[in-house]
Amino acid sequence: MDNEFYKRRPFFPAFLPTDQPAVPRSLFYCPAARLLPLVLMLAASGLAAAEEPALVLRRSKVLTLPGSSSAVRPAVVLGAKNLQSLLDQQSVAEGDAELRYGELLLKADKLSYFQPKDEARASGKVEVSVAGNVFRGSELRLFVQRFEGEFLDPSYFFSLTGGGGKAERMRFLGQQRVLAEGGTYSSCPAEEGKEPAWQLTTTQLRMDFEANEGIASGAVLRFYGVPILAAPTISFALGSTRKSGWLPPNIGLDNRSGFELGLPYYWNIAPQHDATLTPFLMTRRGAGLDSEFRYLEPQHNGEVKLAWLPNDRVANRARWALDLAQQGEVGRDWRYQIRSERVSDDEYWKDLPKRLQSQTPRLLATDLRFGRTVQREWGEAQAYARLQTWQALQGADPLTRYETPYQRSPQVGLRLSSEADDAVMAGFRPWGRQARLEGALELEYNRFDLPREALASQRADLPTGQRAHVLGHVSLPFGGAGWWLIPKLSVNAAAYSLDQTQLDGRRSMSRSVPSLSVDQGWVFERQTELFGRGTLQTLEPRLLYVNTPYRDQASLPNFDAAPKDFNFDSIYTDNQFSGVDRVSDNHQLSFGAISRWVNPSQGGELLRLGLVQRYLFRDQRITPDGQPQTQRLSDLLLLGSAHLNTQWWMDAAVQYNPDSSRAVRTVTSVRYSPGPFRTVSAAYRLARGQSEQVELGWQWPLFGAQPDGSPRRDSSGGSSGGSCSGAWYSAGRVQYSLRDRRFTDSVVGVEYDAGCWILRVGAERLSTGRAETNTRLLLQLELVGLSRLGSNALKVLRDNIPGYRPLSSDRSASPDASYD
């Protein structure tokens, strides 16, 4: 490109001789060939065929042929009230002048196009639209095909980020690159005589959309005129893809660590590798480093997180947390998976909870799995090995200690299953299938140990040792269009070799328990009405008969068996225990039914009601609570859910004891969501003799919002980001224990939505004991279209509040607009 192009000088539009004849309003030009005669002929033939009703022309902003190759250059189209042209030389358009070239649309009061150079010059009210981005200014010089040129005094809007600004001069360096001198950037609406609520001013702003990179030199970020961030150079990503650079600071405040400030740096090492390093400072505990490394290879991927606090001034020792997750393939379809988390001490989960990833912060697992699955015509075979250990964070208080689970060191097994057997046993209804024999077999060896922490804190009589077991079943599922019948014969056999001698002097023992079950179900349908609406109603009765003989298991160890929850799913199983070591003796019939009302056109479920109960033909001696069950009829399970309109959701499940005439367990929830950013949910949970809890969650506008929940807009149609007349919202979730008469885990906050910026302030309270809590302050400023500053309040609200919706979710074209 000519160097003179970059010198600022006035544009001199070329004028045609006045004696040149005027041409029609639209002129098609293709530099690759002189197509004007052909175009005129086609236009004439189009006018002649205008009487044919079959041909309908539609307006399009992009002038390309359907299915045309991207390598074919589109035509240049000029239009104006007054258009003059010298064939293959130059054209001058005046009065609502337009130039179209593919996705490019150029508008101006006056427009000159020089065909040999493929150069356009525009003056007056100039507007350029390309790929959703809009530029406006007074003078423009542009090489159309290359999209290279210079714009004087432009304003601009970028669709990808939802923001824009003004500049003294802007240079187009191709459709994917823009350079602005003396540029500004903000997502706040422009108002005459007013500065935006927040604005990034720069001496030079370079935006490379292809590389997903924005670089601001001499950058100063101001919020209501107050500088809050300044740097010689600021580099930021323009979309959801990755880019190296400093991220917004992390800010936190809690009652255990004080004020915390972290400055994360993101390092995009390679397309398949990246890392984040976050130096941090806590006013009470000192300085440290959080780090994360991620990688993605063709056969392996994983991430490693390390939090390092070299000298905790409160605990007077070094503190650390390590989290490792990795999986991959080692050849011949053998796959492995590693998941491990470890911390430096037992009190880590109380003092530094946000650096833990586990859903059970007091019990951290190290789990290594290795296996291979082979598909065959008869079914599949799976060979596997596993090593599982635990770190139990017990603490010094004996009242808060708990029994840790056993470790598997190792677990080795083989599973064989016939085709579709797993799907059948998981509740698949084989309508119309021919009956065939199906089955599965599991052979497994386990070595059970206790974690090191458990040896000192738990009972010394807990056994350790080895177990080999066999689980198998054979079934014959068949059914029709609206029914199924699955008879099944199964066996659970196990042999033990213990490290300790039992009371009867044995160290080796075994047992084998067979079981017979028959699962029968039907599905009936009919057309009916529900509150005046046409619906499809189903009635789905189901019976499960189980006969399992009694085998004495009192002297056998229990390494992995646990009672199943009593619910609609577990009542239709042949064993009340999960795991292998306990098999309940059953001679029983489970019977119940579910009825659904379904919208026939959309398939949505409007209402569901169900009940189920169990009848014992004989006393049950092996039970979850260890007490023989003599009551013939079990507790009654009731189920109900309703979604009668788009605003209300209701769910309820009740376990009712007929003898005591009261509920044993209850879970009830209701949610009301009349519109965007408006949701209220309430829940009640009762486990008689154990816990009773109520919960309230909400997101609701307080004032300043439109009836639909969106923030008010100013008279010009823009958001009121610069006028401090936005909308206030409240959001939170509160849990209260009626049994303990105290609040438990809760979060409460308020949000102020000014349109182009959002402020979130809140507090989170987490229980760490019966008389201990960890409370932290949440403070976050979101500059819509740029970044979020402060603590991660948005993630806390989204994870805790049912139906919560980020206020800025619909204000940016970036794919990650609603995510952290």
Side-chain angles (χ1 to χ4, degrees), residues 547-659:
N547 192 346
T548 304
Y550 169 77
R551 297 290 187 269
D552 184 14
Q553 301 165 48
S555 61
L556 300 178
N558 185 3
F559 293 129
D560 63 358
K564 292 180 181 178
D565 189 28
F566 188 59
N567 53 41
F568 260 75
D569 294 324
S570 66
I571 200 171
Y572 286 113
T573 58
D574 54 6
N575 187 12
Q576 297 182 22
F577 296 89
S578 62
V580 176
D581 294 316
R582 291 292 180 268
V583 182
S584 56
D585 57 314
N586 301 316
H587 190 203
Q588 62 191 25
L589 178 68
S590 299
F591 54 93
I594 291 179
S595 184
R596 311 173 198 264
W597 284 260
V598 180
N599 186 326
S601 60
Q602 300 178 354
E605 189 176 276
L606 305 177
L607 180 65
R608 176 174 54 183
L609 300 174
L611 57 85
V612 64
Q613 201 169 20
R614 177 185 290 158
Y615 179 80
L616 295 181
F617 295 101
R618 65 166 182 258
D619 294 347
Q620 184 178 353
R621 301 168 63 180
I622 302 177
T623 60
D625 59 4
Q627 300 297 322
Q629 179 66 36
T630 59
Q631 180 179 334
R632 288 293 178 255
L633 281 173
S634 70
D635 292 346
L636 181 65
L637 293 177
L638 304 172
L639 173 70
S641 67
H643 188 193
L644 301 180
N645 57 45
T646 59
Q647 299 181 355
W648 287 94
W649 291 262
M650 290 171 280
D651 291 279
V654 179
Q655 179 182 341
Y656 179 77
N657 188 303
D659 294 340

Side-chain angles (χ1 to χ4, degrees), residues 225-384:
V226 179
I228 60 175
L229 183 64
T233 302
I234 293 179
S235 176
F236 53 94
L238 299 178
S240 59
T241 55
R242 308 173 309 170
K243 183 194 175 302
S244 297
W246 291 98
L247 302 178
N250 300 328
I251 300 174
L253 178 64
D254 64 47
N255 61 331
R256 288 182 175 268
S257 301
F259 178 80
E260 178 182 349
L261 175 64
L263 298 175
Y265 180 82
Y266 177 78
W267 182 14
N268 187 22
I269 304 172
Q272 71 277 20
H273 300 150
D274 68 3
T276 304
L277 304 175
T278 308
F280 65 84
L281 176 64
M282 300 179 181
T283 55
R284 294 190 60 190
R285 299 187 181 275
L289 177 68
D290 292 333
S291 59
E292 178 187 40
F293 172 72
R294 302 185 303 178
Y295 68 95
L296 179 62
E297 299 290 348
Q299 294 183 324
H300 310 274
N301 65 84
E303 61 180 329
V304 181
K305 297 180 181 178
L306 174 63
W308 173 247
L309 185 61
N311 181 24
D312 186 339
R313 294 198 297 261
V314 177
N316 293 320
R317 62 176 181 270
R319 313 287 293 276
W320 55 266
L322 176 64
D323 182 71
L324 170 65
Q326 181 175 319
Q327 60 183 356
E329 184 177 341
V330 293
R332 299 184 62 86
D333 296 329
W334 285 95
R335 300 194 60 83
Y336 71 93
Q337 182 178 13
I338 302 174
R339 186 71 174 87
S340 179
E341 188 169 11
R342 287 292 185 266
V343 296
S344 57
D345 54 87
D346 285 353
E347 302 298 320
Y348 196 95
W349 70 281
K350 291 183 180 181
D351 298 336
L352 303 164
K354 74 175 186 177
R355 288 171 170 82
L356 289 176
Q357 310 298 318
S358 174
Q359 298 297 317
T360 55
R362 297 190 63 187
L363 186 65
L364 307 180
T366 293
D367 201 339
L368 170 60
R369 305 187 184 205
F370 187 72
R372 182 189 181 192
T373 300
V374 179
Q375 300 287 343
R376 292 291 183 265
E377 293 182 358
W378 51 265
E380 70 174 27
Q382 181 184 15
Y384 57 92

